[in-house]
């Protein structure tokens, strides 16, 4: 007679529904703030991680990527796609799932949806970077591109930096209206603007998050005044950028993992020796962040595996003692490890 | 009020228990034969696949790997670990899970346990290779190393090649006794032998599958007579081999994907220009397999992503219309794709 799977055979799984329950039980803004802190804590110990550019499989329609990393004790990876054409088909541009495992045994310790979690960790990482790079006392941000990331970005900047005012722009008025409606009651003052130019006016932080898989120019040089912080997150694969290169020539650029950003980020437009600073070096005090009030800082963010590692670790800790997960029978675990076939045989009814 | 997830949000998941049910509903030997055929069919169209060596994260205790591939329509990857030290802790040396996705959307189409499925596909691949390389009319195989793979190997060789007699050897008599007991009633004649030498005597196929993560010499040159086919599957990561190099100097060696095998296979002991033949070229008739009765053929198998792709595709087809899976709410799928935050907000109760 088949026996119930042993405890070692079971892996906690967080479904989309449970992730939403978890987020609400913690509170979106609290969670964004806590995620910013765990991501920062892992950036602080950047050197202990196994780092590799993500493994990408490109097609005409988009890209599918695997993003692994390890700190020597815990291993994680994320499966994530980016398909700008999905939106027209009523599908998400980005979907993801993630896994944590014990390095010492290779046994999975957590499997979770990561579409929502990626939106949260991306916004938390942006806000964490802005905490180190944006001008002090920033109260207004421009949010250009009002897709699935927009509200998360705005709330993370509010929770982490105290942003009070968000100026929206999207080429599609429906996207802007959606974002404005979703942010009603958040405590943020929200203004829908008729152009990128208008959205940027008076903003100390400019976030660009558009999804076209092509070289685009969302911001031109003349639009960007002195002293702003640009948080560029839409340009994140080869052939996909958002900023005119003249902006990069004026800005001080900060990145996650150079071997990946040189290929995928805004800086793919620049020469291989275009100067950049690794964000972790700013966080650990080894490099300077913002130097003065006139400087343009640019966080050329493409997303890196360590951010997912941090988010997965956070979820594993946070579901502990809750009902926000189910246990999946993922691991074949016979009593005698060499007796996999015997386990199969005994399951025959 | 939260709504039920839409159909697009749900991904079929095959647990260990359901995989065992599926195997028994098909029959182990039938499944091994069908798997050998689907793996062979994909080797036949080798050139259409995106191929990359697996992405490995090594530690003192073992290795964790991601194995992605794509044929342009379907993408797959496997998460798999290899921890020889697990056995002493009562854990599986190898555990795995796998995912299939649509290349056009990036949406996952199947998530499944792959510990059992890897054991099945590895045995099926060995038998498929032996179908092209072993001497005609082979009836006896030696099975050296009687761990979790042993019974699957024996049954695959029976189902695909008509092997009638298996001669076992393992340094641990308990492992041999386990394998002998599990194969009772299979229709195979099984002999437990006192040494590797004894197990090899009279065998036309010699399979080595030991798990130590170190250079070992399971077979020495004087043990291997003319005309045999060696199926070496235990040497599958850097520093882990099973055969003395003198055997490789006498044998004609066939491999899956050279950039991976040169690093992980038995041939890591040899010079970079040691001659090898890609198995897919034999299958498509572009290269010669076994030339004559005296030749020693060696399948230096380390496992490649295309074999997992084939197995995953097979499972997806085979669970269709059955109850051998459950649906997991893995994908966040709001009605309006850009309204991920709105979906989260509406889930608040």
């Amino acid at each position: 007679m088949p026996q119930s799977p042993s405890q070692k055979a079971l892996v906690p799984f967080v479904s989309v529904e449970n992730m939403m329950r978890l987020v609400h039980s913690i509170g979106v803004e609290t969670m964004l703030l806590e995620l910013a802190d765990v991501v920062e804590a892992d950036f602080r110990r950047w050197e202990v991680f196994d780092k590799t550019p993500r493994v990408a499989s490109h097609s005409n329609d988009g890209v599918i990527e695997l993003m692994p990393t390890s700190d020597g004790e815990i291993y994680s990876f994320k499966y994530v796609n980016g398909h700008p054409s999905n939106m027209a088909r009523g599908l998400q541009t980005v979907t993801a799932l993630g896994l944590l495992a014990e390095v010492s045994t290779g046994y999975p310790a957590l499997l979770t949806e990561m579409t929502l979690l990626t939106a949260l960790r991306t916004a938390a990482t942006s806000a964490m970077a802005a905490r180190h790079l944006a001008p002090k006392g920033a109260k207004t941000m421009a949010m250009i591109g009002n897709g699935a990331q927009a509200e998360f970005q705005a709330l993370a900047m509010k929770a982490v930096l105290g942003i009070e005012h968000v100026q929206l722009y999207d080429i599609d008025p429906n996207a802007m209206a959606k974002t404005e409606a979703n942010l009603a009651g958040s405590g943020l003052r929200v203004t829908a603007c008729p152009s990128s130019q208008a959205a940027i006016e008076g903003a100390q932080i400019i976030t660009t998050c558009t999804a076209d898989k092509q070289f685009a120019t969302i911001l031109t040089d003349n639009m960007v005044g002195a002293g702003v912080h640009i948080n560029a997150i839409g340009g994140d694969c080869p052939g996909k950028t958002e900023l005119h290169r003249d902006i990069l020539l004026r800005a001080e650029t900060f990145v996650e993992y150079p071997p990946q950003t040189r290929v995928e980020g805004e800086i793919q437009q620049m020469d291989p020796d275009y100067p950049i600073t690794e964000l972790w070096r700013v966080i650990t005090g080894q490099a300077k962040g913002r130097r003065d009030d006139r400087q343009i800082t640019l966080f050329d963010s493409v997303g890196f595996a360590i951010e997912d590692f941090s988010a997965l670790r956070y979820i594993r800790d946070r579901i502990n003692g809750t009902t926000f997960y189910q246990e999946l029978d993922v691991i074949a675990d016979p009593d005698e490890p060499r007796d996999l076939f015997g386990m199969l045989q005994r399951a025959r009814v």
Side-chain angles (χ1 to χ4, degrees), chain A:
Chain A
M1 214 180 66
Q3 293 188 309
S4 311
S6 77
Q7 199 54 38
K8 281 177 289 198
L10 299 176
V11 177
F13 166 66
V14 182
S15 67
V16 175
E17 194 175 338
N18 275 324
M19 185 61 78
M20 295 196 292
R21 284 191 188 132
L22 177 68
V23 174
H24 289 304
S25 84
I26 296 171
V28 184
E29 285 189 46
T30 304
M31 186 159 169
L32 286 163
L33 190 57
E34 290 179 352
L35 279 169
D37 289 343
V38 295
V39 172
E40 181 164 324
D42 283 333
F43 269 61
R44 207 172 284 285
R45 57 194 195 102
W46 189 263
E47 286 159 296
V48 309
F49 284 91
D50 244 11
K51 288 172 288 287
T52 175
R54 52 188 155 214
V55 184
S57 177
H58 292 277
S59 65
N60 290 337
D61 296 309
V63 62
I64 295 179
E65 298 170 333
L66 296 174
M67 301 171 67
T69 192
S70 160
D71 71 352
E73 288 187 13
I74 301 171
Y75 170 94
S76 77
F77 80 86
K78 178 166 80 171
Y79 166 92
V80 60
N81 76 299
H83 284 69
S85 57
N86 270 6
M87 207 182 62
R89 301 187 239 190
L91 301 175
Q92 283 289 296
T93 300
V94 173
T95 72
L97 65 109
L99 181 137
L100 269 191
E102 303 290 340
V103 169
S104 62
T105 62
Y107 270 46
L110 173 70
L111 183 67
T112 176
E113 88 81 33
M114 278 195 88
T115 307
L116 273 164
L117 189 57
T118 295
L120 290 158
R121 78 84 161 122
T122 301
T125 302
S126 290
M128 185 277 281
R131 180 153 68 186
H132 293 277
L133 302 174
K136 291 278 161 264
K139 295 292 170 201
T140 300
M141 74 178 279
M143 184 70 228
I144 299 175
N146 297 168
Q149 253 294 294
E151 298 89 344
F152 297 97
Q153 283 287 334
L155 290 178
M157 293 293 182
K158 172 175 184 279
V160 175
L161 268 84
I163 285 294
E164 296 171 354
H165 184 195
V166 182
Q167 300 182 152
L168 305 177
Y169 179 70
D170 195 290
I171 47 168
D172 180 350
N174 293 327
M176 238 184 318
K178 173 238 24 164
T179 306
E180 196 176 5
N182 280 338
L183 291 175
S186 68
L188 282 165
R189 188 154 57 88
V190 181
T191 311
C193 299
S195 66
S196 297
Q197 184 67 66
I200 288 165
E201 237 174 76
Q204 295 90 33
I205 297 176
I206 302 171
T207 296
T208 56
C209 187
T210 61
D212 269 337
K213 195 182 176 181
Q214 59 186 31
F215 292 109
T217 306
I218 309 302
L219 294 185
T220 54
D221 188 37
N222 64 320
M223 292 163 75
V224 177
V228 301
H229 172 63
I230 304 173
N231 175 43
I233 53 179
D236 64 354
C237 75
K240 188 176 162 209
T241 60
E242 298 181 311
L243 308 184
H244 193 282
R245 70 192 301 277
D246 287 351
I247 298 173
L248 280 82
L249 292 171
R250 282 165 67 207
E252 180 93 24
T253 299
F254 300 84
V255 305
E256 289 142 320
Y257 181 58
Q260 189 177 292
T261 312
R262 294 269 184 206
V263 177
E264 300 181 350
E266 295 299 328
I267 60 171
Q268 67 185 274
Q269 308 175 63
M270 312 309 280
D271 294 332
D273 61 350
Y274 171 80
I276 49 163
T277 304
E278 291 179 67
L279 183 61
W280 73 271
R281 297 176 61 84
V282 175
I283 290 166
T284 54
Q286 295 174 56
K288 192 116 188 96
R290 169 167 291 274
R291 270 196 322 270
D292 61 53
D293 288 354
R294 304 280 305 158
Q295 190 186 24
I296 298 170
T297 51
L298 166 63
F299 179 40
D300 184 5
S301 177
V302 297
F304 188 58
I306 294 175
E307 296 149 23
D308 300 311
F309 176 97
S310 310
L312 285 164
R313 217 161 48 101
Y314 174 79
I315 296 300
R316 190 194 55 176
D317 293 346
R318 278 304 213 146
I319 61 172
N320 209 348
T322 73
T323 58
F324 302 137
Y325 65 96
Q326 64 203 85
E327 294 196 310
L328 287 188
D329 163 25
V330 174
I331 305 293
D333 186 49
D335 299 332
E336 210 286 78
R338 287 173 301 193
D339 199 15
L340 188 64
F341 187 83
M343 182 187 80
L344 173 63
Q345 229 169 5
R346 286 186 291 278
R348 192 173 195 157
V349 281

